[in-house]
Amino acid sequence: MNSSTLSAAKNRLRAVIKQRLTSIPHDSVTSQSAQVFQSLSRFEPYVNAKRIAVYLSMPNGEIQTDPIVRHALSSGKQVFVPYLHKSGLPPGDGPARLMDMVSLKSIADYESLQRDKWGIPSVDPGTVDQRVRSVGELEGKPTEDAPLDLILMPGVAFDTDPESGAIRRLGHGKGFYDYFLHRYALRATEGQKASDGHPAVLLYALALREQFLPASSEESVPVGPHDQPIDGLFLGDGEFKHSSTHAA
């Protein structure tokens, strides 16, 4: 599948799933989010993690992460959240905007975040230089990296590759997570890598049951060479799906 065909297939699936998500009652999103939180809070890699990154959710249409952020902070974990900024890269050398993960200081700090036009709590750019960052670069200015143990990711759609058993993820189309993970891997030291040479950070996604495409579905998640594989998926019906391979 060439790049233009792949892009068109992804956009078609995004449109189908996003239309489906608009019809999910808020009560269902709330109950599914509670189920994911219960599953995650008993998940050993989460329990043992000292540094986690987690997306801050939109008001509807995806698993709500507010309980996770509050629990992680109250449990003494260092919590990192996405922050979008200008890349500082010369034109043509990379994307104009990058996503990094920056730390929250406390529950009060989290509660002080203002919501953006999508209703997502957002870090004030004026406070970023006071925060720890998981990839040190910020607008071209390097600083010390903070390695992560676990990243909890959003997505639009997910399925299982019938051949490899890998959990496939379709993002929102901006490539922020894929490029962040690429940069994270480049910055990882040997001590931060697993035996296969990849960064030791674990990648798990959270999804409403309506976002998962079963084997019987006529739709499937198209992936390309730059799409990052994930380790597993927590679903709002209480099911946990583990990726049986790290192959893309």
Side-chain angles (χ1 to χ4, degrees):
M1 187 181 296
N2 62 41
S3 60
S4 60
T5 303
L6 178 64
S7 178
K10 288 183 174 183
N11 286 335
R12 281 196 299 270
L13 183 56
R14 285 189 189 101
V16 169
I17 300 300
K18 288 183 177 181
Q19 180 62 37
R20 180 185 302 172
L21 295 177
T22 60
S23 64
I24 302 175
H26 183 72
D27 286 350
S28 177
V29 173
T30 300
S31 63
Q32 291 194 58
S33 299
Q35 181 63 67
V36 166
F37 170 69
Q38 290 299 323
S39 300
L40 180 69
S41 64
R42 298 188 296 266
F43 186 53
E44 187 173 348
Y46 169 80
V47 173
N48 295 335
K50 295 180 179 178
R51 287 173 169 164
I52 73 164
V54 56
Y55 72 94
L56 299 180
S57 50
M58 297 180 289
N60 215 340
E62 63 183 356
I63 292 295
Q64 302 296 287
T65 56
D66 178 76
I68 298 169
V69 174
R70 292 178 183 276
H71 180 269
L73 287 168
S74 64
S75 301
K77 302 182 190 300
Q78 192 168 19
V79 178
F80 292 74
V81 297
Y83 174 71
L84 301 178
H85 62 89
K86 293 180 181 178
S87 68
L89 298 171
D93 285 1
R97 300 177 76 209
L98 297 177
M99 182 185 78
D100 281 319
M101 298 291 180
V102 300
S103 67
L104 296 175
K105 301 174 185 178
S106 63
I107 291 179
D109 179 33
Y110 166 60
E111 291 176 341
S112 74
L113 302 184
Q114 300 298 305
R115 294 184 179 273
D116 64 14
K117 62 182 180 180
W118 294 283
I120 302 171
S122 300
V123 171
D124 181 349
T127 68
V128 172
D129 61 356
Q130 305 161 25
R131 301 177 185 274
V132 179
R133 301 195 288 274
S134 61
V135 174
E137 175 191 350
L138 181 64
E139 297 184 358
K141 300 174 183 177
T143 187
E144 184 178 354
D145 294 341
L148 300 167
D149 299 315
L150 174 68
I151 300 177
L152 300 175
M153 307 167 65
V156 175
F158 302 86
D159 73 356
T160 302
D161 187 314
E163 296 182 2
S164 70
I167 303 296
R168 300 184 292 199
R169 168 184 174 270
L170 176 68
H172 287 274
K174 302 296 185 182
F176 287 131
Y177 274 90
D178 288 330
Y179 197 61
F180 167 77
L181 293 169
H182 170 70
R183 292 165 52 238
Y184 186 92
L186 292 176
R187 298 289 287 264
T189 65
E190 288 304 314
Q192 296 165 5
K193 294 181 180 179
S195 58
D196 62 2
H198 291 89
V201 62
L202 297 172
L203 308 177
Y204 288 89
L206 314 178
L208 300 165
R209 59 177 174 265
E210 291 87 352
Q211 293 178 278
F212 184 76
L213 305 174
S216 58
S217 173
E218 295 181 359
E219 303 282 355
S220 62
V221 172
V223 295
H226 300 297
D227 292 311
Q228 291 278 351
I230 61 176
D231 295 297
L233 174 67
F234 288 89
L235 287 171
D237 58 5
E239 189 174 1
F240 171 73
K241 294 185 176 292
H242 189 268
S243 211
S244 61
T245 176
H246 289 266

